[in-house]
Amino acid sequence: MSQLGPDYVRAIAPYQAGKPIAEVAREFGLDEAKIVKLASNENPFGVPESSRAAMAQAAADLGRYPDANGFELKAALSARYDVPAEWITLGNGSNDILEIAAHAFVQRGEAVVYSQYSFAVYALATQGVGGRAIVVPAQDYGHDLDAMAAAIDADTRLVFVANPNNPTGTFIPAAKIEAFLQKVPANVVVVLDEAYNEYLAPEHQFESSQWVRKYPNLVVSRTFSKAYGLAGLRVGFAIAQPAVTDLMNRIRQPFNVNSLAQAAAIAALNDKAFLDKGAQNNAAGYRQMIAAFEELGLQYVPSFGNFVLVKVGDDEQAGARVNLALLKQGVIVRPVGNYGLPQWLRISIGLPQENATFIEALKKVLG
Ligand SMILES: *Cc1c(COP(=O)(O)O)cnc(C)c1O
């Protein structure tokens, strides 16, 4: 056989990213300025001003390598989350954290547990190390933590839990997560992926960063890509006890977070006004979306993130068909057939006018 690469690498289905605006403009002959992109859960306000200013300053030093240890960013995170800087791992986006965890804790043939309909990168990270995926059926489109705990077998080394989950938007309350953590064996690492944490209403917030004091096998993962508006810079981080953090940092590429990203992240972390504005816009935009879905009689999954999953038809082509019709009108959303949800679309919450443009286009498409 002259096949290149291991079979588990050839078996990986490539990640399907949201279509870039320029690509849709070219493909459908549309004006870029009129295209609305609600496909990648990006922040509709873009980069915070505070981060732009910080990057302008940091740009002067781009001839040098970034700080491999991210001293200042870790100091800022350490102060914010009340954990020692030695407990923090920086990532080139939190996707990097997920991959680092798979490389650090799983060898070929060992098992990784995650939920059906959970973030696509869990499957990719597992396959990338030749791990065996144990995919646990979802409950009401969210994680069934009892079933996930029961699915952990002797070969399991890692569990991914997304809270809130993408693409379904479901949320698990603190008490349930803690009950789950108590059941997981100490030799199994749990990555609690909280990419949308900052969008949670105050009554749903909890300090998961403090759980790492209690659970030596817990990794809390966060990102600057969503609420902080820095998706293009690629910066995320993990909080875990030193034994786990030390292993993750051995796998991490030393310069995985560039200088502009480090500077921008520090500024964003301290920009409470930007976060508040985003959270308010998101809450209002969510109400705008679900009001339209209710008017159209469409089923949706109540969401705790900055996006919402909506069922646009009963046949297996519904998602792809409605997606194409929306693209022709210059509206980019995310089909989720690759998640096993071919009747659904995931819509990111945008600015009020962007949401209105999408709703108008959807009404036209569904006639
Ligand atoms: C968007 C997202 C991430 C973050 O991706 P980055 O690499 O930080 O941009 C992580 N987990 C989930 C569930 C997400 O939806």
Side-chain angles (χ1 to χ4, degrees):
M1 293 297 284
S2 60
Q3 297 257 49
L4 289 176
D7 49 0
Y8 61 83
V9 172
R10 285 198 307 272
I12 296 175
Y15 181 77
Q16 293 175 13
K19 273 179 181 286
I21 289 176
E23 186 182 316
V24 171
R26 273 197 307 275
E27 230 173 274
F28 296 92
L30 299 167
D31 177 359
E32 269 192 40
K34 294 209 179 108
I35 291 176
V36 167
K37 185 183 176 205
L38 301 174
S40 300
N41 301 346
E42 293 149 342
N43 193 315
F45 292 108
V47 181
E49 272 309 320
S50 54
S51 294
R52 284 179 202 269
M55 284 192 285
Q57 268 202 323
D61 271 334
L62 282 177
R64 301 199 182 279
Y65 279 98
D67 176 357
N69 194 31
F71 179 83
E72 287 186 34
L73 176 52
K74 283 190 189 176
L77 290 167
S78 161
R80 164 60 55 89
Y81 293 105
D82 191 23
V83 291
E86 300 73 43
W87 292 30
I88 297 168
T89 307
L90 298 181
N92 188 256
S94 57
N95 274 263
D96 194 22
I97 296 292
L98 307 175
E99 290 224 330
I100 288 171
H103 281 277
F105 303 114
V106 184
Q107 31 178 337
R108 190 173 181 174
E110 292 180 333
V112 180
V113 170
Y114 52 86
S115 175
Q116 179 189 25
Y117 309 142
S118 64
F119 191 38
V121 173
Y122 307 155
L124 293 175
T126 302
Q127 286 176 295
V129 296
R132 177 168 58 87
I134 300 178
V135 184
V136 177
Q139 190 176 44
D140 299 329
Y141 300 98
H143 292 53
D144 181 345
L145 288 185
D146 290 336
M148 288 177 71
I152 294 172
D153 64 14
D155 296 330
T156 301
R157 297 291 173 267
L158 185 62
V159 181
F160 286 115
V161 175
N163 198 38
N165 183 44
N166 171 22
T168 62
T170 52
F171 173 71
I172 314 162
K176 284 197 171 174
I177 300 221
E178 267 224 85
F180 173 74
L181 291 173
Q182 278 162 10
K183 283 193 240 170
V184 176
N187 67 337
V188 176
V189 170
V190 177
V191 174
L192 181 58
D193 177 358
E194 299 187 317
Y196 301 95
N197 174 273
E198 297 81 4
Y199 284 109
L200 291 173
E203 67 270 25
H204 293 124
Q205 296 268 0
F206 47 86
E207 277 307 326
S208 50
S209 57
Q210 292 311 310
W211 287 343
V212 299
R213 294 186 187 279
K214 215 163 138 190
Y215 301 99
N217 57 339
L218 175 63
V219 176
V220 170
S221 171
R222 299 277 184 97
T223 183
F224 284 91
S225 296
K226 306 284 162 53
Y228 290 108
L230 302 179
L233 281 172
R234 316 303 304 128
V235 46
F237 63 95
I239 301 173
Q241 287 197 15
V244 163
T245 301
D246 175 54
L247 288 180
M248 303 226 312
N249 274 293
R250 292 180 199 211
I251 292 294
R252 182 183 71 88
Q253 288 188 29
F255 304 111
N256 64 337
V257 180
N258 70 69
S259 319
L260 297 188
Q262 292 187 31
I266 294 167
L269 190 65
N270 295 314
D271 196 339
K272 189 169 182 312
F274 183 83
L275 272 194
D276 289 348
K277 181 173 76 167
Q280 272 169 27
N281 178 73
N282 194 60
Y286 178 69
R287 287 193 297 271
Q288 186 184 2
M289 290 287 187
I290 64 170
F293 297 155
E294 274 161 18
E295 189 191 330
L296 289 165
L298 300 178
Q299 186 188 347
Y300 63 90
V301 180
S303 174
F304 293 80
N306 64 343
F307 56 89
V308 55
L309 191 67
V310 61
K311 191 174 180 191
V312 292
D314 292 320
D315 62 285
E316 298 289 296
Q317 271 74 51
R321 185 176 59 243
V322 173
N323 179 57
L324 181 63
L326 288 170
L327 282 174
K328 287 179 180 166
Q329 295 191 60
V331 177
I332 315 174
V333 299
R334 184 69 72 92
V336 282
N338 59 324
Y339 281 95
L341 296 162
Q343 304 161 328
W344 300 73
L345 292 173
R346 190 195 68 192
I347 323 297
S348 305
I349 312 282
L351 299 172
Q353 186 52 55
E354 294 174 322
N355 302 336
T357 301
F358 157 72
I359 289 166
E360 203 182 311
L362 184 68
K363 285 182 176 166
K364 239 196 236 172
V365 170
L366 297 178

